[in-house]
Amino acid sequence: MATMRIDQFISSHQRDWGELEALLRRVRGGNMRALSAVELEHLSQLYRHASADLALARRDYPRDAVTAYLNRLVASAHPVIYYREAFSLSRLRRFITTTFPRLFRATWGYTLTAFLLFFIPALACFTVVLVDERAAITLLGPDAAYNVIDNFKRGEIWTHIPLPVRPAESATIMTNNIRVIFIALAGGMLFGTLTVFILVANGIMLGAIFGLAWRYNMITPLLSFIAGHGFIELSVIFLAGGVGLMLGDALLRPGPRSRVEALSLVAGKAIRLVIGGALLLVIAGTIEGFFSPAYSLPPWVHYTVGLLTAVLLYGYWLFAGRERKREA
């Protein structure tokens, strides 16, 4: 790839460098409160871009003054960006109320793609199993398919959790769910291929199971079990899948930067999204371990709780942490 002329390099990035300098002047002395939440996010983004620009300058213009300038700029920004604030409830509150929902909105396209990679195979397999039950044997494998069918024929599902073991089972569920999102995240490092496989495979499995449940009139108890925790759990899986796709996209389309540089620009977002998702899975695991197996409750109670969790979750993701408009 041809090296960009130095005047083109400077003119195409100088505005961002100037903005970074201006923001750094405002937080001189560690006064981070001088910036709004949006400006802090912009500061972090400008720093990452300047770091990538410095890497390019060191490679292409090692003896030019612009390289020395960028080195000073990045060096002065580094302690501001990576200031180690002691853990505090206020810091956790800021992450939950502001950082996490903003990151969700900023990366919603990847989350939507992950949802479609799950939902389309699920819908297709649900339809196929409705038409021909034998398709479930191919989709789930003989052992799993016959096990599900036998349970459904007896009017049972595999989700009955006795009351004495629910605390331990809840912890197991949380651990398993968190492991799933980290696997989906790690899949992004394989250019997103493993992430796509996990999403499609889980969609196929769930679609086939729902198809069997419909055929054996077990859809109501199955939905009753899933409703309470399912909106949170599945949404976080789509979120984690989106993170994996975002990492894969950075590797597949790094643009003018190296793959390592492109990956570093999204790594911070990915880690914060996964942490937020893990916190949500603690809530989902608690509901799944304690509330979802409560079959003594009528189905409408489960559906109501599920709808409430969906409204609260997406209301939080869509509206929390928005910058208030300042009066002129």
Side-chain angles (χ1 to χ4, degrees), residues 178-190 192-196 198-199 236-245 247-248 274:
I178 292 171
R179 184 171 64 247
V180 168
I181 70 170
F182 276 102
I183 292 173
L185 171 66
M189 304 304 293
L190 297 175
T193 53
L194 181 58
T195 302
V196 172
I198 290 171
L199 291 167
V236 173
I237 288 174
F238 302 147
L239 175 72
V243 171
L245 295 176
L247 294 174
V274 168

Side-chain angles (χ1 to χ4, degrees), residues 251-301:
L251 292 172
L252 288 170
R253 300 188 301 171
R257 299 179 172 87
S258 70
R259 286 193 168 91
V260 173
E261 292 164 352
L263 192 62
S264 68
L265 292 177
V266 298
K269 290 181 182 179
I271 292 171
R272 291 194 291 272
L273 284 168
V274 168
I275 291 172
L279 293 175
L280 286 173
L281 284 182
V282 172
I283 299 173
T286 302
I287 296 173
E288 186 173 0
F290 289 93
F291 172 77
S292 296
Y295 294 105
S296 58
L297 297 174
W300 68 265
V301 175

Side-chain angles (χ1 to χ4, degrees), residues 2 6 8 19 27 33 50 57 71 74 84 112 116 123 136 152-153 185 192-193 206 216 227 265 292 326:
I6 190 166
Q8 293 176 324
E19 288 185 21
V27 298
R33 295 185 182 277
N71 192 64
V74 171
R84 293 286 183 179
L112 176 61
L116 293 174
L123 181 61
F152 285 167
K153 283 181 177 179
L185 171 66
T193 53
L206 198 64
Y216 286 93
L265 292 177
S292 296
R326 298 178 180 177

